[in-house]
Amino acid sequence: MRRFLRPGHDPVRERLKRDLFQFNKTVEHGFPHQPSALGYSPFLRLMAIGTRSGAIKLYGAPGVEFMGLHEENNTVMQIHFIPDQCQLVTLLDDNSLHLWSLKQHRGTSELREEHRFTLKGPPGSPPSATQVTAVLPHSSREVLYLGTESGNIFVVELPSFRVLEDRTITPEAVLERIPEDNCNRRSCELVEALREHPKNPDQILIGYSRGLIVLWDLQNNKTTHHFLGSQQLENLYWQRDGSKFISCHYDGSYSQWPVSSDNSQSEPLENTVPYGPFPCKAISKIYWQTTKNGLPYIIFQGGMPRASYGDRHSISVIHGSQQTAFDFTSRVIDFFIIFSSDPAAEFDDPSALVVLAEEELVVIDLKSAGWPAVHPPYLASLHCSAITCSHHVSNIPLKLWERIISAGSKQNIHYSSMPWPIDGGTNIAPDPPQRDLLLTGHEDGTVRFWDASGVCLHLLYKLSTVRVFLTDADPNDNMNTLGEDEWPPLRKVGTFDPYSDDPRLGIQKIYLCKYSGYLAVAGTAGQVLVMELNDEDAEHVVDHAEADLLQDQEGYRWKGHEKLKTRDGPVRFEAGFQPFVLVQCQPPAVVTSLALHSEWRLVAFGTSHGFGLFDHQQKRLVFVKCTLHPSDQLALEGPLSRVKSLKKSLRQSFRRIRRSRVSSRKRRGGGGNASEVQEANAKFDQDVLQEMELAPVQRKIEARSAEDSFTGFVRTLYFADTFLRDSSRHCPSLWAGTNGGTVYAFCLRVPPAERRMDEPVRAEQAKEIQLMHRAPVVGILVLDGRSTPLPEPLEVAHDLSKSPDMQGSHQLLVVSEEQFKVFTLPKVSSKLKLKLTALEGCRVRKVTVANFGSCKTDDYSENDLAVLTNLGDIQIISLPFLKLQIRYPCIRKEDVSGIASCVFTKYGQGFYLISPSEFERFSLSTKWLVEPRCIVDMPEVTSNNLVHKPGTENAARKS
């Protein structure tokens, strides 16, 4: 009777699933995509960054992060913190203002949008009448002053955003006390800057675009002083004591103006063009910082000579005889200075320069000699060279962790030892339960090791593979060296460098064994490097071996790029991972799969032509297997030829049409029935066009990626100690899965340790499985007698896993894009399967085994499959019965690059790129959850609230 009962929910299992699985997007790692505005609160010691997509992100001490998103998704133009409050105001490019607050909720602080407001003019007025160009939050914390393109300055009450119309400062009111021969109505168009007097909150400095600057008395509503600049104004800055202010201008000059009580009109004390006398770019923002030794710090953006350095993005620092123009590789959005905010302090004493560039955040230590950069604990420029692949390793042993950090610290000796200066808020998240590494491969041939244990993705170490090869660039070149007499004194800062010396250097696959310290990396030009960790610098020869994957094939000719040329003789390597052997695949195609077994000292690699096995202990090639099908001509054209190949096939089709017509005319000698010729040609045209039109339709139905046309393309490689020949003896084996749905299995004979160097490793093909549906194989897994996935190499030896059950029968799980199929071993007979294709053309893109622990008890955990599909859904499927447990929408199906970049962790978390510079972190587990938990307490407000709050005028608006 059981088979007639409708399958219902098992309540026990449903409760257990709630204890095991939960989907959360937890934190965004990396640098915000397309930043557009910067703000800083010296009161809270928090920094805010706005983006073109309407996001706003707050950062403080490491682990203190908040994020908000404007519903409008408009560009954030300006960010201003309300003095002495946990509040900030944002201005968007649609002219709307938004008030945000940090509120405490359930023991943590949250960023919430409180109010929104758009300044509206009288009926019939042009948009410029209310287009906000400058924002000043007053120290009273009660009002905002909004300067506009029309020259009007509106006063808005906080937090209600009610316009106080009776307090509006009009151009007519400003001009009342200014002599007519000095200026006219046009002088008061477009408010460029608003600055509150640092000692008298009843006075504000108003700067107009055409050069007029006035000091306005808020109590008496009148102009007390006016200053006439001869050049277009860019920005203003008060000196700390309020006796002078600085103006910077479009012609690359800055002026210092005295504010005297007995004179309503003043001339500048000095007018300086720092990089004159030739025409210079505008100085868009300036700081004048006082110090105890009497020499001020003058810090400004721009001002470089137009003709020779007009394309540079620079910020200059002048202190006495010291002068440096920091040169950034991407456009400067904005910057601020961290200095003493104590109202009782006599001097500014600046400590750090914080620069937000378009592609990175750079902090300069102004206290140390030479003004070195500070290593950032977050906001890492992940895309300093484009990310090409990722690899995650969970639960790193402490010894390996310390050795990697030690290697990284030797690379960072040029960084400042200054503590991170943006340290507001308190991180209350628990310490990470384990040490996790995220490795990213890059287009320039580097691999970066990131601490992915907690909220902050922190760079530990950078490995470069360039030294092994001959390239156009000398790795010893130092871009920062300057001649003593060079002018302007440019110094390159930052890590963003998107230009690769050779695209063939790009890293495509990474595999790290956390127990042995062996690392294998593979690249775009068929290069496979095996490395080991060395704590000291070393100089040695890198052994070379070639793997000809087409050795048994005739008539094939590689049309892609050449292999990289290698250096002859010994090569010097820094402490860290050092290559000791290079395996070069021929043809030098992109390496598409990689596996490393450090216990057997074997590395397997695959391309679109086949796969091979290399013994890196004896430094000997064990075997190669060509998987190329006679129809796979496209696989020989290289990775950059796919677009060309489509155009080429179209051209060839039309050439065949023409040749057919010409040959038919020649055969008929111009005679015969002309209608038959036309009929034959028309039929041929129709056949060719049908053939050409069919392919795109087929691709649409199949939803295949570009590589799917290569049936020999090796998608996955897997080592296993299992039963392959008979059920009585297990042996090492290598499994390979291809794009054409073929699985190859090789028996390996690995000599025992005492004879490992004397006897060769031998391999013999034992099985070849062809899936009936011929879908690409994306994963292979062997389950032991307890239906548990086999442990990683050396995991049992380090007592971190139980020994696999070799008494019961093993099972083979083959995951293709369309289905999951379990086979018995060693007979390879089908046992059960789960199809995915019935679900809206759903196909597997990524699959991994993840361990899920219960949030209710430490005694229960289970292994399941975490699966990402081409629709962006994540499915959790049980082992070994292949039952769908739960499905979560994660990535938009249109985000092909995000789906391709996704990497799962061993404990139910994952990362994927939401932009070239940002990873989104997510969790599928109730137990393993990494998310910001932080609190921002209101610091005590001093009795003197007239502390200078540096403005954050948006320099990007005028660039």
Side-chain angles (χ1 to χ4, degrees), residues 151-379:
N152 289 301
I153 299 168
F154 296 91
V155 185
V156 176
E157 191 177 53
L158 287 176
S160 64
F161 277 137
R162 183 171 64 91
V163 179
L164 304 177
E165 295 182 2
D166 58 323
R167 294 174 62 178
T168 300
I169 305 170
T170 64
E172 291 76 19
V174 168
L175 292 172
E176 276 182 7
R177 300 175 66 87
I178 300 175
E180 289 184 11
D181 55 342
N182 285 351
C183 55
N184 55 36
R185 174 65 180 80
R186 295 193 67 188
S187 302
C188 290
E189 289 180 356
L190 203 154
V191 178
E192 198 69 59
L194 294 170
R195 295 287 181 264
E196 182 180 337
H197 194 292
K199 297 297 182 182
N200 183 357
D202 291 332
Q203 292 183 335
I204 61 171
L205 201 61
I206 306 171
Y208 296 94
S209 177
R210 289 179 175 269
L212 173 65
I213 306 165
V214 300
L215 187 62
W216 182 261
D217 186 339
L218 296 173
Q219 288 289 341
N220 300 309
N221 290 326
K222 66 177 184 179
T223 299
T224 61
H225 295 71
H226 68 274
F227 314 86
L228 293 173
S230 59
Q231 293 291 332
Q232 180 178 319
L233 180 71
E234 293 288 316
N235 222 317
L236 298 171
Y237 186 81
W238 277 108
Q239 289 191 20
R240 190 179 186 91
D241 60 2
S243 64
K244 306 181 192 71
F245 68 87
I246 314 299
S247 64
C248 55
H249 301 274
Y250 183 76
D251 66 341
S253 67
Y254 66 85
S255 301
Q256 190 176 10
W257 305 81
V259 180
S260 59
S261 58
D262 57 348
N263 190 359
S264 64
Q265 180 178 352
S266 298
E267 296 294 326
L269 291 174
E270 60 174 326
N271 188 64
T272 306
V273 184
Y275 295 111
F278 302 107
C280 295
K281 292 182 70 178
I283 295 179
S284 55
K285 187 172 181 178
I286 192 166
Y287 280 80
W288 184 290
Q289 300 277 282
T290 56
T291 61
K292 293 175 183 175
N293 65 10
L295 294 172
Y297 278 86
I298 305 167
I299 303 167
F300 56 88
Q301 177 184 346
M304 301 297 286
R306 284 186 181 277
S308 304
Y309 300 95
D311 60 341
R312 299 298 181 100
H313 313 290
S314 69
I315 290 180
S316 298
V317 180
I318 302 173
H319 180 59
S321 60
Q322 298 178 68
Q323 181 167 348
T324 299
F326 294 103
D327 185 16
F328 300 86
T329 53
S330 59
R331 184 170 62 93
V332 174
I333 303 299
D334 203 352
F335 74 98
F336 62 84
I337 308 298
I338 296 178
F339 57 92
S340 174
S341 59
D342 181 2
E346 187 179 351
F347 304 101
D348 293 311
D349 284 329
S351 58
L353 161 65
V354 181
V355 183
L356 176 67
E358 200 165 36
E359 305 292 353
E360 62 186 328
L361 183 83
V362 178
V363 178
I364 304 295
D365 178 2
L366 298 176
K367 290 286 190 183
S368 302
W371 299 332
V374 182
H375 196 53
Y378 48 71
L379 285 173

Side-chain angles (χ1 to χ4, degrees), residues 42-43 82-85 137-142 196-202 341-344 940-949:
F43 175 69
I82 308 300
D84 302 338
Q85 294 289 304
H138 194 261
S139 61
S140 66
R141 307 184 290 279
E142 296 174 354
E196 182 180 337
H197 194 292
K199 297 297 182 182
N200 183 357
D202 291 332
S341 59
D342 181 2
E940 291 185 11
V941 181
T942 56
S943 57
N944 180 1
N945 63 358
L946 306 182
V947 183
H948 176 60
K949 303 296 184 294

Side-chain angles (χ1 to χ4, degrees), residues 482-500:
L482 285 175
E484 290 183 8
D485 301 325
E486 185 169 338
W487 187 261
L490 289 164
R491 188 175 113 200
K492 187 175 181 291
V493 287
T495 59
F496 180 71
D497 184 10
Y499 306 107
S500 172

